[in-house]
Each structure stands twice: as structure tokens, then as C-alpha cells.
Amino acid sequence: MQKSNLILLIVFLLGNYSYLNAQFKKGQTFVTGGFGFTVNGLELSQITSGQSETSRHYFSLNAGAGKLLSKNTAMFISSSFGRSRYQSIKYTILADTTTSGMITEKELQDKYISFSRDLNFSIGIRRYFPIDKKILALIYGRLNWNANRSRSIENGYEKINPSKNIYSIVIDPGLCYLLNKRFGLEAFLQGFSLDYTPKSKYGTPAELSGRFRGTGSLNIGLFYYLK
């Protein structure tokens, strides 16, 4: 890299950090609000005796508040409420058209539908990384508590599942767009989660699992910096 280009790059980066410092000040507080959603449309797959169809939908509302510990690091607390629906249907294929592959006759094997709702509380740290004068990347790491209740219907029979608590360490990546000195837009993808579910009073054993949650999941919101 030529010396002149290196100098321009350094000036550009310093300018971005100066803009961030002008926007965010240590001790400043902010509030956020938004929604999240996951929509996995109809998915078809072949099984031993026929075909399986699955779909999943999830929607949540969230709110939070934070305080800047430094010009690019904030402590943040948040809560959210969400609802989800999952459906799985299995068919035995009795006849199909070999030319187009379309099923002309099928018999239901199994139909399963589950509904769930969950309440979340989180506390963690947000770290901001300026990309442009109005665009910032961020990483949000937090401790999360989830209270989940669900019910399911299988072949016409309803079952109320035991409620459960899930404790997690979560790391989500995101982006912020500054509309002005007070308002901005933010978006998060669901990232990595390490979950612990304690043993239940019904005998279900404790479980520890790690997972990448992000496929198809997005949280969008608005943040506002107080004076």
C-alpha cells in the first residue's frame, strides 16, 4: 500500500471514531424497542414411506435500556415476549405422476402442531465498531433467562407440556444506522447460544447444549439516546 493511501485510510478511520465519540458519550443512556421474527416456509422432505411437510413461524416484541460505560461500550438490559407455531405432517404417497412428480393421492400418517410462548430477560454488554459515519457494527453478549410454556396437538389429541426455564449465554451480531444524534435503527441476527435447562420436577433430566440460532431469524428496532 502506498504511503499516501495509508495516510488517507488512517485519517478516514480516525474521522469515523471522532464521529462516534461525538455521537456517544460516557454515561449517556438510551432506550430501544422493536420486534423479531423467524419464518421458515413449507419444507418438503422424503421419508421411508412417503413425504414430510414442516413449517415454523415465530414473532416477538422487545424493549430495553442501556448506559454507555465508555464511548463504544454499553451495559444493556432487555426483555421480550414471543409466540411460535410449528407444524409437521407426514403422508404415505399412494400415487403420483411420474412425468411431473406431482402427488395425486396421499394418505395422512401423522399430524403434529405445537404452540409455545416465552418470556425473556437479559443483561449484557454491547460493543460498537464504527464502519462509516452513520453505520456501526456491534456485538451483543448477554446472560439470558427464558420462561417457556407450550402445548401440542398430535393427531387430534392435545397435550399441555410442562413449563420450563432456560438459562443461556448468548452472543448476537448486529448493525446500527444513525438517523441523527438521538435516533437510530438497529438490526440483529440471532447468533450463538449456550443453553442450560435444569432438571424438572417431572423427571426430565438437566440439559446443556450449544447452538447457532441464526438461520432466518432477525430482530429489528429503533433506539433513542436521552440527553
Side-chain angles (χ1 to χ4, degrees):
M1 181 183 292
Q2 295 183 357
K3 184 177 180 180
S4 59
N5 291 336
L6 178 60
I7 293 174
L8 288 174
L9 177 61
I10 293 173
V11 170
F12 173 76
L13 293 175
L14 289 177
N16 282 340
Y17 274 99
S18 297
Y19 187 84
L20 175 63
N21 291 340
Q23 292 289 95
F24 300 161
K25 298 178 182 179
K26 181 180 179 180
Q28 194 173 13
T29 57
F30 61 97
V31 293
T32 69
F35 63 93
F37 62 92
T38 303
V39 177
N40 294 337
L42 185 65
E43 297 180 1
L44 303 178
S45 59
Q46 299 301 315
I47 57 178
T48 303
S49 56
Q51 180 174 273
S52 173
E53 300 179 0
T54 60
S55 62
R56 184 190 304 272
H57 305 275
Y58 176 78
F59 182 81
S60 66
L61 296 173
N62 57 76
K67 183 175 183 178
L68 286 167
L69 305 177
S70 67
K71 292 176 180 179
N72 57 2
T73 303
M75 177 173 285
F76 191 74
I77 58 174
S78 63
S79 65
S80 67
F81 176 77
R83 300 180 70 94
S84 67
R85 181 182 188 275
Y86 171 81
Q87 177 173 288
S88 171
I89 303 176
K90 296 178 181 180
Y91 298 101
T92 298
I93 299 176
L94 302 178
D96 61 8
T97 55
T98 55
T99 55
S100 63
M102 294 182 62
I103 298 173
T104 56
E105 190 176 352
K106 56 188 179 182
E107 182 180 48
L108 178 66
Q109 286 186 33
D110 181 77
K111 183 175 183 180
Y112 176 83
I113 305 174
S114 68
F115 305 88
S116 68
R117 57 184 182 180
D118 55 80
L119 180 65
N120 290 276
F121 288 98
S122 299
I123 181 169
I125 296 292
R126 288 185 172 193
R127 180 74 176 182
Y128 296 92
F129 304 91
I131 298 175
D132 198 353
K133 287 186 175 181
K134 291 190 174 184
I135 302 175
L136 301 95
L138 66 92
I139 296 293
Y140 180 25
R142 65 189 187 274
L143 300 175
N144 185 78
W145 168 69
N146 174 282
N148 179 273
R149 300 184 67 180
S150 65
R151 64 183 179 92
S152 58
I153 303 173
E154 186 168 10
N155 298 326
Y157 295 95
E158 184 175 12
K159 176 183 177 182
I160 305 298
N161 301 312
S163 59
K164 59 183 178 179
N165 295 317
I166 303 172
Y167 304 92
S168 307
I169 298 174
V170 183
I171 301 175
D172 290 340
L175 285 175
C176 290
Y177 180 78
L178 303 174
L179 300 174
N180 53 44
K181 291 183 178 181
R182 304 284 289 279
F183 284 97
L185 301 173
E186 62 182 19
F188 287 91
L189 286 173
Q190 291 188 339
F192 176 77
S193 174
L194 180 64
D195 304 323
Y196 172 71
T197 305
K199 179 180 178 180
S200 73
K201 61 182 180 181
Y202 300 98
T204 305
E207 182 181 1
L208 180 65
S209 62
R211 60 194 174 108
F212 286 98
R213 310 174 300 148
T215 306
S217 302
L218 182 66
N219 291 275
I220 299 174
L222 177 73
F223 62 86
Y224 174 72
Y225 276 82
L226 307 175
K227 290 184 178 180

